[in-house]
Amino acid sequence: MNSDEFEQRLRRQPIRTIPEEWRTQILRSAAVSQSAGPMKEHSFSWRELFWPSPHAWAGLAAVWAVILVLNVASSESTTSPVAQLPPAPPSPQILIALELQRQLRAELMEIPEAAKPEKVEPARPRSEAVATNHHV
Amino acid sequence: MRRPPSFLDLAELYDSHAQALFGFLLNFMRDEEDTQDVLQEVFLRIGRRPELLDGVRDRRGFLIRLSHNLAIDLMRRRTTREKTLERVRFESIPLFASSSDPDENAFRMALSEAMGELPPDQRAVVHLKLWEGLTFDAIAEVLGVSLNTAASRYRYGIDKLRHHLRPLYDEIK
């Protein structure tokens, strides 16, 4: 197949005609905007930025704020002897806040809520674990 | 100093360039509704800010560049799910006028489908080269790419079209 011949063949194919009814509609909108004067060009994109759910975004921000406050409230001085111990498991309030955050994120991403993560038992004190083993 | 486009001039602008913009956008976006939205936005912007055309010698090139940028903005805002749903419609978009000759019609349908198989950046270059008759220099300027990029995208695009259409082309030649 000759290259030029092929391209000529393509070039000869006529593009569809623009629908006639578009002319009135588009020119009318343009005339209205012309009489309204200059506008901020990106105003419509702000709406897109907060789509699909502004409430979900606000909820997510609130959950993060709660987590931050709880973390700050539960933190201790680094010079304290307690700070040398392994970090304590997260408080129930933080766990609830994290779960709520996960649900909001799933809602935003339109993913069916996945199976809830396995419930992780908080680490038991070693003495309790040893006592259990003795009973077996 | 050029006076800003009046309403009457917008009509003249539309009559002079809308068909070309329609063809480019329909080919690029593969969706008639999106094409109408972007075309409307183009003229809205010109209506709001007629000074955009002040001093512009190549109005067609300017409008194509504006259309291309707005189309990309719209396509980027599409969510993944919407893109998946739209993909179903891509192959069925008729780009070309229908013909009374059945063989010619079949070729046009196949060409329309083949264009849909090209990546958007190749599709844009092929369209501007074949149906707008732009040089690679002009295409590079309109699309904001280098001359080499424009030329290579065209080559890749044409090769894919040739491969896709070879059986039909040889049959009806």
Side-chain angles (χ1 to χ4, degrees):
Chain A
M1 191 191 317
N2 179 282
S3 176
D4 283 343
E5 203 177 285
F6 177 69
E7 293 177 38
Q8 290 286 346
R9 181 73 191 274
L10 299 188
R11 199 172 280 125
R12 283 201 301 269
Q13 306 311 313
I15 301 286
R16 269 175 58 199
T17 306
I18 185 172
E20 280 185 21
E21 59 271 22
W22 289 16
R23 187 179 188 278
T24 307
Q25 182 181 342
I26 289 174
L27 286 178
R28 186 180 298 140
S29 301
V32 167
S33 72
Q34 194 177 30
S35 57
M39 278 176 59
K40 286 183 186 175
E41 288 188 357
H42 297 292
S43 58
F44 65 90
S45 65
W46 285 109
R47 196 171 63 236
E48 296 289 340
L49 182 65
F50 289 105
W51 186 257
S53 175
H55 298 298
W57 281 114
L60 191 62
V63 168
W64 273 109
V66 167
I67 293 172
L68 185 66
V69 166
L70 290 172
N71 267 333
V72 168
S74 64
S75 67
E76 296 184 5
S77 168
T78 55
T79 58
S80 161
V82 177
Q84 305 302 319
L85 297 174
S91 65
Q93 294 91 334
I94 290 180
L95 288 173
I96 291 169
L98 285 172
E99 173 61 21
L100 185 57
Q101 180 197 36
R102 187 188 67 77
Q103 289 174 11
L104 281 170
R105 193 181 299 151
E107 181 188 331
L108 282 169
M109 291 174 68
E110 298 178 337
I111 298 171
E113 193 171 320
K116 292 190 175 177
E118 280 183 30
K119 191 176 178 183
V120 177
E121 293 288 336
R124 293 186 298 172
R126 189 165 175 277
S127 55
E128 195 179 320
V130 169
T132 305
N133 288 339
H134 279 312
H135 283 304
V136 174
Chain B
M1 184 177 168
R2 294 177 66 172
R3 65 184 172 86
S6 64
F7 175 77
L8 196 59
D9 286 345
L10 276 176
E12 185 189 348
L13 198 70
Y14 185 94
D15 292 337
S16 300
H17 302 290
Q19 173 62 41
L21 299 181
F22 168 77
F24 172 73
L25 286 169
L26 189 63
N27 200 355
F28 186 62
M29 305 188 75
R30 312 293 294 180
D31 184 279
E32 195 159 322
E33 277 182 31
D34 287 350
T35 296
Q36 186 175 10
D37 286 346
V38 172
L39 195 59
Q40 180 154 314
E41 183 63 25
V42 166
F43 281 90
L44 273 173
R45 292 204 178 195
I46 300 294
R48 272 186 224 132
R49 297 184 57 194
E51 67 273 16
L52 288 172
L53 287 176
D54 286 352
V56 172
R57 287 195 301 180
D58 178 15
R59 286 186 166 187
R60 176 71 61 89
F62 177 86
L63 291 171
I64 291 175
R65 183 164 55 239
L66 179 58
S67 303
H68 179 247
N69 290 342
L70 290 173
I72 287 178
D73 284 349
L74 182 61
M75 286 156 77
R76 280 181 183 158
R77 284 202 302 274
R78 290 273 183 260
T79 62
T80 305
R81 191 173 72 145
E82 285 174 286
K83 283 177 190 166
T84 306
L85 288 173
E86 283 179 0
R87 210 161 170 71
V88 173
R89 297 188 280 170
F90 271 19
E91 290 99 18
S92 62
I93 293 293
L95 283 176
F96 305 100
S98 58
S99 169
S100 53
D101 181 339
D103 287 340
E104 194 62 32
N105 236 10
F107 183 78
R108 291 178 188 180
M109 293 292 289
L111 175 57
S112 188
E113 187 180 314
M115 288 295 292
E117 295 293 320
L118 297 182
D121 52 2
Q122 291 178 14
R123 201 154 64 226
V125 175
V126 169
H127 182 94
L128 293 176
K129 189 81 175 80
L130 290 181
W131 289 289
E132 284 300 312
L134 299 188
T135 62
F136 285 125
D137 264 326
I139 292 173
E141 189 175 335
V142 163
L143 298 183
V145 299
S146 71
L147 180 59
N148 286 340
T149 298
S152 63
R153 284 179 184 175
Y154 180 74
R155 274 295 123 213
Y156 289 133
I158 281 292
D159 286 347
K160 284 178 191 167
L161 290 179
R162 190 180 294 112
H163 175 77
H164 193 105
L165 295 169
R166 184 184 293 277
L168 193 60
Y169 182 83
D170 289 344
E171 183 184 317
I172 65 178
K173 202 165 112 177

